Amino acid sequence: MRYYIGVDGGGTKTEITLFNESKKMLDTVKVPGSNHENLKGSFQEAADIIMSGIQLLLESNQLTQADITEILMGLAGIDHPYQHDALCTILSERGLQNFRVYNDGFIITKAGLSDGVGIGYNCGTGTCCNSIDSRGNMLQIGGFSEISDDRGNGHWIALRVFNKIYDDICLGLCKTSMTKRFFDKAELSPSREGLLSTIANFEQDDTAEDFIRFLIDIFFASLNEGDAAAEAICEEMASRGADYICAHAKKQRFDIDTIPVVLSGSMHTRLPSDRYIARMEQLCSERFTEKKFVFSKLTQPPVIGCINWMLEK
């Protein structure tokens, strides 16, 4: 029997899965996030996390590296050749063999599209839009945070929600139901002082994740009741998402009449985001008229894209 390992490395967690030649998932271990951009030890710490996870998976299944035919990784933070080469060099020095490393966005297309051809748009901890065209050409757009003006990920939404509440409370520019939701859920009296007292939650490791999730929930609740300020945020993220998707359609060569787009990440698949997705679909159809798009949500673990990729030939 042949064995394969797929690695889906994100900002908050890394899933390392053992497969057989029939694509059956035999075992999975979860270790901390392996995005080097989020780690104090950068590439070295990312390599430590990946290697420890692989070793744990091997030991728990009484296997060694010699038993593994191939390892394929989709890793957040691998956005250009320097990052790819730096991490691969360290992993090779640690003794890892027969492995490939790609940006994690590419395993989305391999997991969510029947033949791996199309566009994958991910909005979770980060934002990234990737495609593989009919000739196998690979393209990544976004993934550089503020540098590429990524929008729609969790941190971006949380900041925009806080911006709108700040404008309401401190500047008196607009009223939004997000303000009342914020103070009610935080059990604070609506005031400038009360709002500013919560800023530290963004900066502290033990509170940032929960605070961001708290603001995201406020956003979607207000958006789905038609709040104007929330709709303005929705328009920003839907417009940028449409820009990314249409850019792939223009730059890549798709020998198909309808281009499939698979959406992944918690903003797309775990939250009540249908209103936002519908607006993004509408903008895509308006901005690129040469072909049609068909949107779907990823319904299986992204790591499935690793084994699909390894066995596609």
Side-chain angles (χ1 to χ4, degrees):
M1 180 178 291
R2 291 177 179 268
Y3 296 101
Y4 301 83
I5 291 178
V7 181
D8 174 22
T12 56
K13 68 178 183 302
T14 300
E15 294 190 10
I16 304 176
T17 301
L18 180 68
F19 295 93
N20 65 15
E21 57 197 0
S22 299
K23 299 186 180 182
K24 181 179 180 181
M25 299 176 68
L26 302 177
D27 193 12
T28 297
V29 299
K30 294 182 181 180
V31 292
S34 53
N35 184 342
H36 72 277
E37 296 173 336
N38 298 344
L39 301 171
K40 293 180 180 179
S42 191
F43 296 109
Q44 294 285 351
E45 187 173 354
D48 288 342
I49 291 170
I50 292 167
M51 291 298 293
S52 64
I54 290 174
Q55 190 58 35
L56 178 61
L57 184 67
L58 291 173
E59 290 177 356
S60 63
N61 289 276
Q62 299 180 333
L63 298 171
T64 68
Q65 272 203 56
D67 298 309
I68 306 302
T69 300
E70 187 178 9
I71 301 171
L72 191 144
M73 308 182 198
L75 305 178
I78 303 301
D79 301 307
H80 53 76
Y82 161 71
Q83 295 171 318
H84 172 274
D85 294 348
L87 182 61
C88 288
T89 296
I90 296 171
L91 291 171
S92 295
E93 291 173 349
R94 303 283 181 88
L96 197 64
Q97 300 175 353
N98 300 323
F99 69 93
R100 288 186 276 164
V101 174
Y102 300 98
N103 176 268
D104 62 330
F106 290 111
I107 65 173
I108 299 302
T109 65
K110 295 295 185 180
L113 303 172
S114 59
D115 58 1
V117 174
I119 301 169
Y121 185 37
N122 180 75
C123 283
T125 304
T127 299
C128 198
C129 193
N130 302 62
S131 67
I132 301 176
D133 72 9
S134 300
R135 289 160 177 76
N137 297 312
M138 300 168 65
L139 176 64
Q140 175 183 335
I141 293 176
F144 299 98
S145 192
E146 293 86 358
I147 292 174
S148 50
D149 193 17
D150 295 341
R151 305 175 192 174
N153 58 72
H155 190 262
W156 181 89
I157 292 173
L159 286 176
R160 294 298 290 125
V161 169
F162 200 91
N163 294 159
K164 295 295 186 183
I165 297 171
Y166 184 89
D167 286 355
D168 185 359
I169 288 291
C170 300
L171 280 69
L173 291 179
C174 65
K175 290 296 180 183
T176 169
S177 65
M178 293 187 290
T179 299
K180 186 177 187 306
R181 281 195 166 89
F182 178 90
F183 286 105
D184 285 350
K185 290 190 174 185
E187 298 181 346
L188 293 170
S189 298
S191 66
R192 177 181 181 276
E193 293 71 24
L195 179 64
L196 297 184
S197 71
T198 67
I199 291 177
N201 288 308
F202 277 120
E203 302 164 349
Q204 298 173 4
D205 291 341
D206 59 337
T207 59
E209 185 176 344
D210 287 342
F211 191 57
I212 288 171
R213 189 179 300 113
F214 167 72
L215 290 166
I216 292 169
D217 290 341
I218 288 172
F219 164 69
F220 280 110
S222 292
L223 173 64
N224 289 320
E225 74 173 14
D227 177 76
E231 287 183 334
I233 296 173
C234 173
E235 187 68 16
E236 288 185 74
M237 55 196 282
S239 180
R240 194 60 171 174
D243 286 342
Y244 282 8
I245 292 166
C246 290
H248 281 282
K250 295 172 184 176
K251 293 177 179 294
Q252 293 279 64
R253 299 180 66 180
F254 293 104
D255 300 333
I256 44 182
D257 294 330
T258 301
I259 302 173
V261 180
V262 60
L263 303 176
S264 65
S266 53
M267 302 308 121
H268 289 148
T269 63
R270 299 179 188 173
L271 291 161
S273 55
D274 288 351
R275 190 166 183 161
Y276 143 67
I277 292 172
R279 178 57 178 155
M280 183 165 60
E281 290 184 40
Q282 180 184 5
L283 291 171
C284 284
S285 64
E286 292 173 357
R287 295 176 184 179
F288 186 81
T289 58
E290 296 178 28
K291 294 179 182 288
K292 294 182 178 181
F293 297 100
V294 58
F295 284 72
S296 64
K297 294 183 181 182
L298 188 65
T299 57
Q300 55 187 346
V303 74
I304 293 293
C306 295
I307 188 62
N308 287 345
W309 208 340
M310 286 185 281
L311 294 182
E312 67 182 1
K313 293 183 181 180

